Amino acid sequence: MVTGAHAGQEFNLPEGRELVVGRQSTADIVIEDDNVSRRHVGITVLRDQVNLLDLGSRNGTFVNRQRVTQATLQTGDLVAIGNCVLRVVRIAQAFVPPGSKPMPAMEPPPAPKPAAQTSLLPAPALPGAFRGSLTEIGLVDVLQLVASTRKSGLLVLRSGRETGRVFLQEGRVYYACMEEWVEVEPRKVLYRLLRWTSGTFELEKSDVRVFANPITEATDALLLEGVRQLDELNNLGSEVPPLDAAVTMATPLPGRLAELEDRDLDFLQLVLDYGTVRRILDHFPGTDFEGYTFLLGMVGRKYLKITPPAAQQPASLTKQRG
């Protein structure tokens, strides 16, 4: 399970009988979540096929972000009920070496290996919280699940020392920000957050807030654009410098500044004003991909040079000793 009160546990799905998942205490798998019905969904494994049947739940059952009444599950499928998201995982049969000694007759036989199981991620602080790991489920999938279930609140993302916030109203993203990026346009912040591949997410309760420059596009359109930008950045590969790399004017310059176009001069002004990749991209009027492309182009033309973070500190220490 990616989110939910029982994150961290594993539930075996035995062959040949239905397991009822729900909120009531007599369910086979009890989910402590007010958004889960008492008898929410049934799961049956027959001849290595995992079948799911919604049992008339109030809030519905979603498989890979699509609402379903019944479905045949495949390895890797995401099943969302209430605030819980489960992932189906196949496990291999145990290997029994030839010639192994049988177990004593009086000892009960070993339990049969399950055909499938669901795996849950680290537990949230509160039962029913929508929380999980960005390593297991990417932010694009998280936001699509939120949109399909029309959740509201504040989605808090944490990766290393950085914290991002995405504001949601009935599943729609209407603002995104980071403490370090207070001046950055919210769409640009959201697209940067989509690049995070590690860390955690948690949906917290929050009243709807009013911002001067909210995001007005539909969430589906935002995510499509975000995925497109991700693909473009991935195509740049190792050429993309880290956000905290320093950018400076090259010396000597390869030509006269008067010969440059206005947009080239505007970009050089950003370099002089802000000095790091992140701050330059923060104030660049286009997307991060367009900013990176412009930056790499100016580096290729020998007007700019990039100093990686690891190379900045030794130079500073040398200067102090001299």
Side-chain angles (χ1 to χ4, degrees):
M1 181 182 280
V2 179
T3 65
H6 299 278
Q9 298 183 22
E10 296 178 351
F11 300 112
N12 294 334
L13 303 180
E15 176 85 19
R17 78 178 185 90
E18 181 183 60
L19 288 184
V20 174
V21 182
R23 198 174 75 251
Q24 70 180 16
S25 59
T26 57
D28 297 292
I29 299 176
V30 179
I31 304 295
E32 299 175 0
D33 182 347
D34 291 340
N35 293 305
V36 173
S37 297
R38 294 179 180 276
R39 289 171 51 86
H40 197 108
V41 70
I43 301 176
T44 307
V45 179
L46 293 174
R47 293 183 295 277
D48 205 34
Q49 180 172 289
V50 185
N51 299 309
L52 175 146
L53 177 66
D54 185 272
L55 302 177
S57 64
R58 181 179 71 252
N59 293 319
T61 301
F62 298 80
V63 175
N64 298 328
R65 302 177 296 276
Q66 299 296 319
R67 186 163 184 165
V68 301
T69 55
Q70 59 184 8
T72 298
L73 303 179
Q74 307 296 327
T75 302
D77 280 352
L78 296 175
V79 179
I81 58 174
N83 287 321
C84 302
V85 181
L86 301 95
R87 187 191 302 274
V88 178
V89 180
R90 297 248 175 222
I91 57 176
Q93 296 290 333
F95 173 70
V96 180
S100 297
K101 292 182 179 181
M103 299 183 70
M106 296 299 294
E107 190 170 339
K113 290 290 182 179
Q117 69 181 37
T118 55
S119 178
L120 310 183
L121 298 181
L126 298 173
F130 187 80
R131 180 185 181 185
S133 166
L134 293 172
T135 304
E136 294 292 331
I137 178 171
L139 182 55
V140 172
D141 286 330
V142 171
L143 292 176
Q144 287 178 328
L145 285 168
V146 168
S148 64
T149 52
R150 300 178 64 84
K151 296 183 186 298
S152 298
L154 173 61
L155 186 67
V156 180
L157 311 168
R158 296 182 176 89
S159 183
R161 297 180 179 179
E162 296 186 311
T163 301
R165 293 175 174 81
V166 180
F167 293 82
L168 303 154
Q169 182 179 15
E170 295 186 352
R172 184 181 65 83
V173 175
Y174 68 93
Y175 198 75
C177 65
M178 287 189 65
E179 293 176 0
E180 301 87 348
W181 305 341
V182 292
E183 302 173 0
V184 185
E185 200 273 333
R187 292 165 191 79
K188 185 175 288 189
V189 173
L190 179 65
Y191 296 149
R192 288 186 191 174
L193 294 176
L194 293 180
R195 293 157 57 186
W196 286 11
T197 57
S198 63
T200 62
F201 64 86
E202 181 173 4
L203 184 64
E204 300 179 352
K205 291 184 178 180
S206 175
D207 295 332
V208 176
R209 297 176 57 179
V210 177
F211 295 97
N213 56 337
I215 297 173
T216 57
E217 294 90 340
T219 298
D220 285 346
L222 277 174
L223 295 181
L224 283 174
E225 174 61 18
V227 170
R228 183 189 69 81
Q229 292 191 27
L230 279 175
D231 290 340
E232 291 178 331
L233 285 171
N234 289 336
N235 289 335
L236 292 177
S238 59
E239 296 182 57
V240 177
L243 288 173
D244 51 352
V247 184
T248 56
M249 298 277 286
T251 52
L253 292 173
R256 298 176 58 193
L257 294 179
E259 298 173 351
L260 295 178
E261 297 181 5
D262 288 344
R263 61 175 187 168
D264 296 329
L265 294 173
D266 290 341
F267 195 87
L268 292 179
Q269 188 64 54
L270 291 177
V271 172
L272 293 173
D273 289 343
Y274 301 110
T276 66
V277 173
R278 173 177 297 187
R279 296 289 289 161
I280 292 167
L281 295 178
D282 287 350
H283 294 85
F284 182 75
T287 66
D288 279 357
F289 170 75
E290 293 167 341
Y292 273 123
T293 302
F294 213 105
L295 172 60
L296 294 173
M298 296 294 284
V299 170
R301 294 161 60 189
K302 309 299 184 183
Y303 280 95
L304 298 175
K305 63 178 181 179
I306 298 174
T307 305
Q312 297 174 35
Q313 183 66 19
S316 176
L317 292 176
T318 301
K319 183 177 180 180
Q320 291 176 6
R321 287 195 297 266

